[in-house]
Amino acid sequence: MSWIGIWRWALRSRNRLDIVAGFVDGILNALTLAAGRLLGGGGADLSLALRVGAATGLTTIFVFFVAHYAELRADLARAENELNLMSHGQLASSSLGRRALLQSLGGGALAAVCGVGGSTVSLLLAVWLSRPAWAGIAADILLLGLLGALLARSFRGSSPIWALTIMAGGAALTWVGLKLDIVS
């Protein structure tokens, strides 16, 4: 598959959740894991961005793969019931089951790539906006608001409400990260 084909696949509307949630998850992971270090004066560096990015990518691919696969397998089970198939798992063991597995892997991988991107951008903002110490975190929270507003526009929701809600979540997880001081 060419880069253009991958780009077109990634921009399909059904991939929107994986993209936005991946970026949001990456930023939230960075804020939670590194808030103590960022606000404590330790600052961010490339090593921290890579470590947080790796942790984000690994957890994101697992969570999104399981969520997608469970949803698609449930759809297959419902279809079996509607078709009155006598044995369970018949559709899951067919080409439809293999397609569900591949779609789940693709969705998980897309979310993971976006999660790594979100955490890396988040921590690179903290490197770039290192003074005062809270400037990088404020930029990350504003970035979360932008993602929330874009998400809301995609389904005709209230952009201000979604932006403020996601920003509040980011601020809350930053506070939790500061209290836990995971990466100091």
Side-chain angles (χ1 to χ4, degrees), residues 89-159:
Q90 205 170 352
L91 291 179
S93 63
S94 71
S95 64
L96 290 174
R98 288 185 291 282
R99 186 171 176 194
L101 178 68
L102 290 175
Q103 282 182 351
S104 300
L105 284 171
L110 179 59
V113 166
C114 292
V116 170
S119 66
T120 303
V121 165
S122 173
L123 292 172
L124 291 178
L125 272 173
V127 169
W128 185 51
L129 300 170
S130 60
R131 297 288 177 246
W134 54 265
I137 289 177
D140 288 341
I141 292 173
L142 289 172
L143 183 56
L144 284 171
L146 176 66
L147 289 169
L150 289 174
L151 183 61
R153 286 193 56 164
S154 74
F155 56 80
R156 297 183 184 167
S158 171
S159 292

Side-chain angles (χ1 to χ4, degrees), residues 17-31:
L17 175 67
D18 296 327
I19 293 169
V20 174
F23 276 112
V24 168
D25 183 53
I27 295 168
L28 292 176
N29 269 297
L31 289 172

Side-chain angles (χ1 to χ4, degrees), residues 27-107:
I27 295 168
L28 292 176
N29 269 297
L31 289 172
T32 304
L33 293 174
R37 181 168 171 178
L38 296 175
L39 292 174
D45 56 19
L46 185 58
S47 170
L48 178 64
L50 293 175
R51 290 183 289 140
V52 170
T56 298
L58 292 172
T59 59
T60 302
I61 195 167
F62 180 74
V63 168
F64 274 77
F65 166 74
V66 169
H68 282 300
Y69 194 55
E71 181 180 16
L72 293 174
R73 286 292 300 261
D75 289 344
L76 291 175
R78 276 191 295 279
E80 285 177 347
N81 286 338
E82 289 178 17
L83 294 171
N84 292 323
L85 296 179
M86 299 304 278
S87 62
H88 298 292
Q90 205 170 352
L91 291 179
S93 63
S94 71
S95 64
L96 290 174
R98 288 185 291 282
R99 186 171 176 194
L101 178 68
L102 290 175
Q103 282 182 351
S104 300
L105 284 171

Side-chain angles (χ1 to χ4, degrees), residues 49 78 91 109 121 162 167 174 177 184:
R78 276 191 295 279
L91 291 179
V121 165
W162 274 85
M167 289 170 68
T174 300
S184 47

